[in-house]
Amino acid sequence: GAVVSQHPSRVICKSGTSVKIECRSLDFQATTMFWYRQFPKQSLMLMATSNEGSKATYEQGVEKDKFLINHASLTLSTLTVTSAHPEDSSFYICSVNLAGGPQETQYFGPGTRLLVL
Amino acid sequence: EDQVTQSPEALRLQEGESSSLNCSYTVSGLRGLFWYRQDPGKGPEFLFTLYSAGEEKEKERLKATLTKKESFLHITAPKPEDSATYLCAVQVSGTYKYIFGTGTRLKVLA
């Protein structure tokens, strides 16, 4: 499998500020990473697909100007929540796509808990 | 519309009491079906990938099976440490995207 880290694990911020979350692929180069959001007792909802060296692809209903994604290298993707509001409080999880061969499995990071006051 | 449904929503078992979790799917074309385990406050942990009807995978007390309409995760003689939320996801043909079910919250009592 793939080892994925996220930083920070938890963050508390004031309404109106911006928060950056990092997702790193530690043991292989990932051309594609995914960002998900998970509300309490709900499943994972895909927000966007992060592509190294090109613009991210956002899912319907996700504001690209609010959730800025940068995939500047093969091991790092960042999600910046701009002008955060309390309704942005959630659990944000990234994953990397381990492609090739018969399997295309996503391996997930440990998640980042965001609380906007 | 592509859809994934998991049942039951929650399940309580006594230690040693075997059971099965269900994942039903309706997709235009199945590229793969994935099972994950998620502990509270953590990211999903990969368990199995299934690609075609009739395929089975096993790992310790867990066994995953796949038909053309659904997948089962069988848990044999569960232990308290098997308590977690089990997520099912499908990957639709022609895309890397996963569609997740809402999960089954499993609690195994000692």
Side-chain angles (χ1 to χ4, degrees), chain B residues 6-71:
Chain B
Q6 290 188 246
S7 63
E9 185 176 317
L11 181 63
R12 292 166 67 93
L13 299 173
Q14 291 294 323
E15 184 173 3
E17 180 186 3
S18 301
S19 187
S20 296
L21 312 182
N22 178 264
C23 172
S24 299
Y25 61 92
T26 306
V27 296
S28 52
L30 181 69
R31 191 171 192 178
L33 186 143
F34 305 82
W35 282 98
Y36 289 86
R37 169 191 170 130
Q38 186 177 26
D39 292 300
K42 297 187 178 181
E45 174 189 345
F46 171 71
L47 293 174
F48 302 110
T49 307
L50 300 167
Y51 287 101
S52 57
E55 190 174 0
E56 298 183 353
K57 294 277 181 71
E58 281 190 74
K59 179 181 178 181
E60 296 180 353
R61 295 178 292 281
L62 300 177
K63 179 180 177 180
T65 62
L66 181 65
T67 72
K68 289 185 178 180
K69 294 182 178 181
E70 59 191 349
S71 176

Side-chain angles (χ1 to χ4, degrees), chain A residues 34-35 45-49 56-64, chain B residues 95 97-98:
Chain A
F34 301 91
W35 286 97
M45 296 299 296
L46 180 65
M47 298 175 65
T49 302
T57 305
Y58 291 83
E59 295 302 297
Q60 191 173 11
V62 178
E63 299 175 58
K64 62 180 181 180
Chain B
T95 176
K97 297 180 185 179
Y98 281 18

Side-chain angles (χ1 to χ4, degrees), chain A residues 8 11-13 17-21 79-84 112 114 116:
Chain A
V11 57
I12 301 173
C13 69
T17 60
S18 294
V19 175
K20 179 184 285 188
I21 302 170
L79 169 68
T80 301
V81 183
T82 63
S83 187
T112 296
L114 171 63
V116 184

Side-chain angles (χ1 to χ4, degrees), chain A residues 8-56:
Chain A
S9 58
R10 305 170 62 103
V11 57
I12 301 173
C13 69
K14 293 182 179 180
S15 185
T17 60
S18 294
V19 175
K20 179 184 285 188
I21 302 170
E22 293 184 348
C23 175
R24 293 184 184 273
S25 176
L26 299 182
D27 56 354
F28 92 110
Q29 295 180 329
T31 56
T32 303
M33 295 185 178
F34 301 91
W35 286 97
Y36 292 83
R37 182 167 50 182
Q38 187 177 34
F39 292 105
K41 294 190 177 181
Q42 293 187 25
S43 194
L44 280 73
M45 296 299 296
L46 180 65
M47 298 175 65
T49 302
S50 173
N51 303 296
E52 189 269 336
S54 64
K55 292 182 179 180

